[in-house]
Amino acid sequence: MPRPLVIAAAQLGPIQRAHARPEVVSRLVSLLQGAHAMGAQLVVFPELCLTTFFPRWFIEDRAELDAFYERRMPGPDTQRLFDEARRLSVGFCLGYAELCEDEEGGTVHRYNTSILVDTSGRIVSKYRKVHLPGHAEHEPWRRFQHLEKRYFEPGPGWTAVRAFGGVVGMAICNDRRWPEAYRVLGLQGVELVLIGYNTPVHNPPAPEHDRLGDFHNHLVMQAGAYQNGTYVVGVAKAGEEEGCEMIGGSCIIAPTGELVAQCVTRDDEIAVARCDLDLCTSYKRSVFDFAKHRQPHAYRMIVERTGAILPPSSPSDPTEPSA
Ligand code: CDV
């Protein structure tokens, strides 16, 4: 039985530091309304999409840093988005910086978070980014910082939920480069993975990768989709933000691994596709029937080892690889 779901990738152009929350939320509401007019039932927004991408700065003042985080969701600025989505009966996925205190009220936690909101405005799933890229200390030699390791702590992992007539999971930006993220969701039968991202064109530690940013973006998400028999929706915050150029390429990928819709600008733009979630089934029942074909005994190293350990050196091949 077909299970059609009309999904919109709601790409954002840059958000500058001077852009206040109400202005940004107005853009999100416009995208939501535009997507609804195109028939969308679920709208996917990017990572950290309520502010500029603040990990590009080393910020020592606590109050200045805290201003980039949300303490409540919905909060005073975002309530409007929830209300409009409920009025239109559209669900959405939204990325933001989350600041919370633990249950004893003592310790403050900071996460790079995405939420999934159903058509009645209820948060049905929350995901906290696991793979935090970049560095924890100020590195002034870089053209811009990438201080996610300083400003966030890693989340506990990926939990899929039943929503929108299928099985839905989320990942955030750098997670999309790691096959483990998709496979953990794949092992929960995921049919739709929602991923927001902020990806600078320039990679300070490896500038030789700069020309490949768009290619790698699609490569990893198309592989994740096909290898797990799932749709993947990748959504950028793109364009030149505070002097830092970021890739676009927001897209919707079918379980075939093919792109079915794609943004072509680096500005606010909507790409829509009618996704039949049942298309996942033929992959999950054949080449990627996990229960029938996976061999976990051979994968133990994946969870027991973090970094690579090379085989012992051999007299017949004395070269020392640099890995
Ligand atoms: N926001 C990110 O996670 N960005 C990383 C960059 C630093 C490479 C990414 O994987 O796109």
Side-chain angles (χ1 to χ4, degrees):
M1 271 279 285
R3 280 180 291 139
L5 179 68
V6 182
I7 305 174
Q11 178 174 285
L12 279 171
I15 299 175
Q16 310 303 345
R17 194 165 182 167
H19 293 165
R21 296 274 204 303
E23 192 181 338
V24 176
V25 172
S26 294
R27 280 168 65 186
L28 300 179
V29 168
S30 294
L31 285 165
L32 189 92
Q33 290 167 335
H36 173 256
M38 293 161 89
Q41 298 161 285
L42 171 62
V43 179
V44 185
F45 293 114
E47 174 192 35
L48 298 177
C49 73
L50 296 173
T51 67
T52 198
F53 189 79
F54 63 93
R56 73 165 63 89
W57 294 295
F58 179 64
I59 301 169
E60 289 181 281
D61 183 86
R62 176 60 71 92
E64 187 184 341
L65 179 65
D66 284 358
F68 289 104
Y69 293 78
E70 310 301 309
R71 289 171 187 268
R72 280 198 292 140
M73 188 55 66
D77 293 313
T78 43
Q79 184 64 56
R80 203 153 51 96
L81 177 66
F82 281 70
D83 292 346
E84 184 63 357
R86 193 178 52 206
R87 189 183 74 80
L88 297 173
S89 211
V90 177
F92 65 92
C93 172
L94 179 85
Y96 64 98
E98 178 192 5
L99 193 155
C100 57
E101 284 179 11
D102 62 18
E103 295 205 337
E104 292 77 45
T107 317
V108 167
H109 297 279
R110 295 160 190 275
Y111 301 103
N112 184 338
T113 297
S114 280
I115 47 167
L116 181 65
V117 179
D118 72 10
T119 54
S120 69
R122 198 170 56 97
I123 297 174
V124 291
S125 185
K126 179 187 273 192
Y127 168 70
R128 291 165 170 162
K129 186 174 182 177
V130 168
H131 295 105
L132 298 171
H135 47 110
E137 301 304 326
H138 191 205
E139 296 187 3
W141 62 267
R142 291 172 182 255
R143 222 186 277 167
F144 49 84
Q145 303 295 295
H146 198 108
L147 286 157
E148 284 196 64
K149 286 195 195 297
R150 185 180 189 86
Y151 297 152
F152 303 113
E153 59 187 278
W158 296 270
T159 304
V161 294
R162 288 178 192 259
F164 298 93
V167 181
V168 187
M170 292 176 280
I172 301 179
C173 196
N174 193 259
D175 288 325
R176 76 195 189 286
R177 304 186 192 277
W178 299 89
E180 294 87 345
Y182 304 92
R183 185 48 52 91
V184 170
L185 286 169
L187 286 167
Q188 297 167 71
V190 79
E191 296 174 314
L192 178 59
V193 183
L194 311 175
I195 306 174
Y197 57 92
N198 284 261
T199 299
V201 172
H202 175 53
N203 182 356
E208 65 275 20
H209 301 176
D210 291 2
R211 70 179 182 86
L212 298 164
D214 291 300
F215 167 62
H216 290 159
N217 179 41
H218 287 165
L219 176 73
V220 291
M221 293 193 291
Q222 290 183 263
Y226 168 65
Q227 291 170 343
N228 293 279
T230 180
Y231 281 90
V232 171
V233 182
V235 186
K237 176 146 65 58
E240 192 166 323
E241 197 177 84
E242 297 293 346
C244 176
E245 197 187 348
M246 298 193 293
I247 68 164
S250 303
C251 58
I252 299 173
I253 301 162
T256 59
E258 294 166 294
L259 292 171
V260 290
Q262 187 183 342
C263 291
V264 294
T265 71
R266 285 186 176 176
D267 223 318
D268 291 11
E269 184 183 343
I270 302 163
V272 172
R274 181 182 180 277
C275 302
D276 176 7
L277 298 181
D278 209 50
L279 186 57
C280 302
T281 310
S282 100
Y283 289 88
K284 291 185 190 297
R285 290 208 183 135
S286 60
V287 61
F288 297 119
D289 184 333
F290 291 165
K292 200 184 270 178
H293 305 303
R294 288 185 78 250
Q295 299 294 340
H297 74 277
Y299 312 148
R300 290 181 56 166
M301 214 184 270
I302 287 175
V303 289
E304 289 174 354
R305 196 179 272 192
T306 307
I309 300 172
L310 275 59
S313 57
S314 148
S316 64
D317 186 0
T319 48
E320 267 310 310
S322 51

